[in-house]
Amino acid sequence: MVQTKLLQKTRNIGIAAHIDAGKTTTTERILYYTGRVHRMGEVDDGDATMDYMPQEMERGITITSAATTCEWQGYTINIIDTPGHVDFTVEVERSLRVLDGVVTILCAVGGVQPQSETVWRQANRYNIPRIVIVNKMDRTGADFHDVLHQMRQRLGANALAIQIPIGAEEEFEGVIDLIEMKAIYWEDELGAEAVEREIPEPMRERAELFREWLIVAMADTHPHLEEKYFAGEQPTPDEIRAAIREDALDNALVPVLCGSSLKNKGVQPLLDAVVHYLPSPLEVPPVIGFRPKTQEPVLCKPSPDEPLAALVFKVATDPFVGQLSYVRIYSGQLKKGQTVYNAQNNIKSRIAHILRMHANSRENIELASVGDIVAVVGLNKATTGDTLSQVDHPVALESIEFPEPVISMAIEPKTTTDEGRLIESLQRLMSEDPTFSVRTDGETGQQIISGMGELHLDIIKDRLLREFRVEANVGNPQVAYKETITRPATARGKFVRQTGGHGQYGDVTLMLEPLPRGTGYEFEDRTKGGVVPREFMPAVEAGIKEAIEAGPVASYPVVDIRVCLTNGSYHDVDSSEVAFKLAASMAFREAYQDSEPILLEPVMSVEVVTPDAYTGDVINDLNARRAEISSMKPLPGDSQSITALVPLATMFGYSTQLRSLSQGRATYSMEPHSHRPVSQERQEAIIGTE
């Protein structure tokens, strides 16, 4: 019963919004007013508690999600402050997967911005209850009511104002609580004390109108409030709050507040709203897992007496304790020293430490229970999305899906001594970030790193230098062109050497034929009468394969070609495998020059989803990239899906350009499609740069 009461007074929330809407500033105020810190950090000063990475301090943006815990009015609030930049959307995705509620911050000037829409869609996918605070009411151009309208139009949200601002821009003074019908002011510089007063007379009529809309909205879904409304009775504040809570937990409405975190106004009512309108771990649907071997469904009830079920939602490298695995416990308890089972990789691990995190500082605890969000040390090879369970009650929870990387660059160590450390460091960064990948290009031999955007990869490079002490050069990957032929050609290759005793003799005639795109390479023996003995046939083919690995035009692999051995001769004494291999290579190169060779470039299948307003600009940009538009189709919400085939060579930097064209609202995906001939002019330019 004690544990149930504790769970009822627990809130697991995330702070999410578009970049520069004020997430970290709001979180800093929350920590100060709840007594978690004794000084408010400022993003602009580079000393915000939750932005602890050097890259975050320098750029004034949040890059990685940070967790902390605070207390308010007897409630425990676990908070995850998430990034707003689209390059780090993975941090939002994996945080939302384990949170029970979200505080969405909208800018009173910018309103519903591109990443606001992205975060909202992510929260919709997980069906997470939300409250909204319209921040920056002190800014020039602030318009609370326009933001409400944008929420309804662009997010499809049933936005319900439970506060309205007193003034705006430079004249923003405080807020009117529509439930208590009181004006709230913050008169001291730090905003620590909220002062309640009567509503100013010029604002009373507007406040009464908004309160009536609030009660009507509640009466629509709550019969007892409807009865009171038609009887001319005023519902009590507790009745209104209970009705709002019920609808908010069902995602039937979104309570909206307002304030200015930078000016220390409106944060305490936000904390009250978190307590009043966001769910406890007991009020979210139980998580459903499955038995790893039988796939039998398992209901993971939010109780400490149930078997353990916890999800690893983030992995981070800590310079002091090694790998930190952040987990959300959905059922059962996690004890220091306990052996747990990882269903995804079939590994047992012993929990060395359990840490309650406060940004990058930590507090050792002996026990974590259902509803807790903690970091643990000691998990072997755990990755994001893994499930921890008891050895005798194995269970796997649904993992987390992440978007595919959209931009790639080549990377190499500045010195050969750094090569091993670079590979090791990249592997560690990959284990932290599911949207970051590393591969070796089989054709160019380059290490290729891929991520969600140029800023994402820039941060990776910066972390390599600062955290892992590895200096690296980063640049665009080489485009993997290929070569082929356009007509048949025949040539003879004869290798004869006489050096004293045994000589060298090999003689072959080869015919090259073009094949359809995507066929690859074929070898065919068309000789008769044993003009080339069978024991030398592998040497002939080896000579051809060696030649096609680096074509004579620009040293790219040769594809879509059939090589036929049509004739040849041999010497009983002097013929050897080496001689026939060299003869075949000579014949191939001579015939290749007569077959009108061309270069093929990789072409990507690209799909762009853009709001209608930017369709023209997006198409013009694609055309400038030599795109072949395949189709266009309208999508719900006034958007267009544009499908095109575009040469890979023109797609570098496209992620940044697309955001610029669409104010960050368009997205795209890209995958390999085929190789196609380049024009003679481009072929000469490419060969000229080799």
Side-chain angles (χ1 to χ4, degrees):
M1 182 63 71
V2 173
Q3 182 67 37
T4 300
K5 285 183 178 178
L6 289 174
L7 279 176
Q8 285 173 341
K9 291 201 166 189
T10 297
R11 301 289 183 267
N12 291 319
I13 67 165
I15 312 284
H18 186 87
I19 190 169
D20 201 33
K23 294 179 305 301
T24 303
T25 301
T26 302
T27 308
E28 291 296 317
R29 271 58 183 173
I30 289 174
L31 296 179
Y32 178 74
Y33 297 136
T34 58
R36 192 66 175 82
V37 298
H38 301 291
R39 177 184 172 275
M40 283 185 279
E42 298 293 353
V43 175
D44 291 343
D45 295 338
D47 62 357
T49 307
M50 305 300 278
D51 285 350
Y52 57 85
M53 292 175 65
Q55 297 85 353
E56 294 176 317
M57 297 176 188
E58 291 169 359
R59 290 170 169 82
I61 61 172
T62 302
I63 292 169
T64 183
S65 55
T68 189
T69 301
C70 58
E71 305 286 331
W72 180 254
Q73 310 289 13
Y75 285 76
T76 299
I77 304 176
N78 297 316
I79 301 174
I80 297 181
D81 178 29
T82 65
H85 198 288
V86 67
D87 280 16
F88 310 108
T89 187
V90 60
E91 295 288 342
V92 184
E93 185 74 31
R94 60 185 174 190
S95 298
L96 289 178
R97 173 66 172 80
V98 298
L99 293 170
D100 301 329
V102 170
V103 174
T104 303
I105 301 178
L106 299 179
C107 175
V109 181
V112 177
Q113 296 168 284
Q115 190 65 3
S116 313
E117 296 180 77
T118 303
V119 169
W120 203 264
R121 286 195 298 268
Q122 289 172 308
N124 282 343
R125 188 159 60 248
Y126 294 115
N127 200 32
I128 300 176
R130 277 145 277 180
I131 59 176
V132 168
I133 180 166
V134 179
N135 191 28
K136 302 192 176 184
M137 283 302 306
D138 60 304
R139 286 267 305 274
T140 302
D143 190 334
F144 175 75
H145 305 291
D146 183 54
V147 177
L148 282 176
H149 177 72
Q150 289 184 40
M151 286 182 64
R152 293 167 185 141
Q153 291 294 111
R154 293 177 60 175
L155 302 179
N158 183 14
L160 183 71
I162 60 174
Q163 290 178 352
I164 57 173
I166 302 173
E169 303 180 342
E170 290 181 358
E171 297 177 359
F172 176 64
E173 298 180 56
V175 302
I176 294 175
D177 182 340
L178 297 173
I179 298 173
E180 296 283 354
M181 284 302 279
K182 292 285 185 182
I184 307 174
Y185 299 88
W186 290 267
E187 297 178 342
D188 61 309
E189 187 178 340
L190 294 176
E193 293 296 326
V195 180
E196 289 189 358
R197 293 206 182 101
E198 291 300 314
I199 298 171
E201 205 53 44
M203 293 285 299
R204 179 162 292 280
E205 186 178 344
R206 170 176 283 229
E208 288 174 351
L209 179 62
F210 269 85
R211 179 181 167 85
E212 185 172 358
W213 287 343
L214 171 63
I215 293 172
V216 168
M218 293 296 94
D220 282 344
T221 52
H222 298 273
H224 65 286
L225 294 184
E226 185 178 37
E227 289 175 15
K228 278 197 168 187
Y229 177 72
F230 284 117
E233 297 178 32
Q234 286 292 321
T236 67
D238 286 343
E239 287 177 324
I240 297 174
R241 275 191 284 266
I244 293 173
R245 177 178 181 79
E246 187 178 327
D247 288 350
L249 296 188
D250 289 339
N251 273 308
L253 64 82
V254 180
V256 183
L257 303 90
C258 57
S260 169
S261 297
L262 188 63
K263 300 295 184 183
N264 307 321
K265 296 177 180 178
V267 177
Q268 293 95 332
L270 174 63
L271 283 164
D272 291 335
V274 167
V275 167
H276 289 143
Y277 309 124
L278 292 181
S280 74
L282 295 172
E283 293 168 310
V284 295
V287 173
I288 299 175
F290 57 89
R291 298 291 179 209
K293 292 182 179 179
T294 64
Q295 303 300 302
E296 173 192 353
V298 181
L299 193 66
C300 302
K301 297 177 183 177
S303 167
D305 301 323
E306 292 286 313
L308 173 68
L311 184 74
V312 178
F313 69 94
K314 177 176 176 173
V315 174
T317 302
D318 187 281
F320 302 105
V321 297
Q323 180 173 300
L324 275 180
S325 302
Y326 287 76
V327 301
R328 160 71 191 268
I329 302 173
Y330 285 100
S331 67
Q333 294 183 326
L334 190 62
K335 299 174 184 175
K336 181 179 176 180
Q338 179 180 351
T339 299
V340 296
Y341 175 69
N342 187 329
Q344 272 74 11
N345 57 25
N346 194 27
I347 288 178
K348 297 175 185 176
S349 303
R350 182 178 175 274
I351 302 298
H353 299 283
I354 303 175
L355 307 171
R356 197 175 297 285
M357 300 300 294
H358 176 51
N360 63 334
S361 61
R362 59 192 70 82
E363 170 194 347
N364 271 287
I365 58 175
E366 297 293 317
L367 173 73
S369 190
V370 57
D372 283 342
I373 294 176
V374 294
V376 298
V377 180
L379 297 183
N380 298 325
K381 299 180 181 178
T383 59
T384 300
D386 286 357
T387 303
L388 306 182
S389 58
Q390 292 175 197
V391 176
D392 55 346
H393 286 88
V395 65
L397 302 176
E398 182 182 354
S399 193
I400 309 173
E401 293 186 7
F402 298 105
E404 292 292 322
V406 297
I407 187 169
S408 301
M409 292 181 181
I411 190 169
E412 60 183 21
K414 282 193 174 179
T415 63
T416 53
T417 55
D418 279 341
E419 189 168 349
R421 289 171 58 209
L422 174 65
I423 294 172
E424 180 186 348
S425 302
L426 290 174
Q427 291 297 324
R428 288 171 67 181
L429 288 168
M430 261 177 59
S431 71
E432 285 188 27
D433 187 348
T435 59
F436 173 66
S437 65
V438 183
R439 64 180 175 84
T440 302
D441 191 304
E443 294 173 354
T444 67
Q446 290 179 299
Q447 287 284 107
I448 306 296
I449 59 175
S450 302
M452 299 306 296
E454 287 167 296
L455 176 61
H456 187 190
L457 296 184
D458 186 45
I459 296 296
I460 292 289
K461 181 184 176 183
D462 200 38
R463 291 188 63 191
L464 282 171
L465 177 61
R466 296 196 195 202
E467 290 179 36
F468 301 99
R469 309 294 181 192
V470 177
E471 293 195 36
N473 295 318
V474 177
N476 286 342
Q478 297 177 10
V479 177
Y481 294 100
K482 296 184 185 297
E483 299 182 20
T484 193
I485 61 174
T486 56
R487 70 180 185 87
T490 302
R492 181 183 182 188
K494 190 171 184 179
F495 183 79
V496 181
R497 291 287 185 276
Q498 200 67 43
T499 55
H502 281 303
Q504 297 284 352
Y505 184 94
D507 175 24
V508 298
T509 300
L510 299 179
M511 183 175 74
L512 312 186
E513 297 176 346
L515 291 176
R517 295 284 170 265
T519 308
Y521 155 76
E522 293 179 5
F523 173 74
E524 189 176 325
D525 177 14
R526 292 183 182 175
T527 58
K528 295 179 182 177
V531 292
V532 176
R534 188 145 305 278
E535 64 264 29
F536 296 129
M537 207 62 69
V540 172
E541 191 168 3
I544 296 168
K545 283 185 175 179
E546 191 174 280
I548 69 174
E549 284 178 2
V553 174
S555 297
Y556 290 111
V558 179
V559 296
D560 304 337
I561 187 171
R562 178 186 288 124
V563 182
C564 305
L565 176 63
T566 58
N567 206 348
S569 64
Y570 69 100
H571 189 279
D572 288 336
V573 177
D574 291 346
S575 285
S576 67
E577 289 185 357
V578 172
F580 271 101
K581 180 180 178 181
L582 291 171
S585 180
M586 292 165 57
F588 178 87
R589 291 180 181 277
E590 187 176 336
Y592 191 82
Q593 298 295 345
D594 295 335
S595 62
E596 297 182 3
I598 59 171
L599 281 184
L600 301 174
E601 66 179 345
V603 174
M604 312 302 286
S605 176
V606 178
E607 182 185 12
V608 182
V609 176
T610 176
D612 286 337
Y614 310 108
T615 301
D617 291 339
V618 169
I619 289 177
N620 288 339
D621 181 70
L622 286 171
N623 287 334
R625 296 174 188 272
R626 298 189 283 125
E628 179 185 309
I629 307 294
S630 308
S631 67
M632 289 178 58
K633 60 181 180 181
L635 298 175
D638 297 326
S639 294
Q640 290 281 340
S641 171
I642 304 167
T643 306
L645 298 178
V646 194
L648 174 61
T650 69
M651 289 300 290
F652 297 121
Y654 184 63
S655 178
T656 303
Q657 177 66 7
L658 182 62
R659 285 182 204 147
S660 175
L661 289 172
S662 65
Q663 296 183 18
R665 295 180 63 193
T667 60
Y668 82 103
S669 60
M670 182 171 74
E671 59 183 27
H673 180 270
S674 60
H675 278 73
R676 295 190 173 185
V678 303
S679 66
Q680 187 64 33
E681 182 182 352
R682 281 194 52 73
Q683 179 167 316
E684 290 172 2
I686 293 166
I687 294 172
T689 60
E690 295 302 313

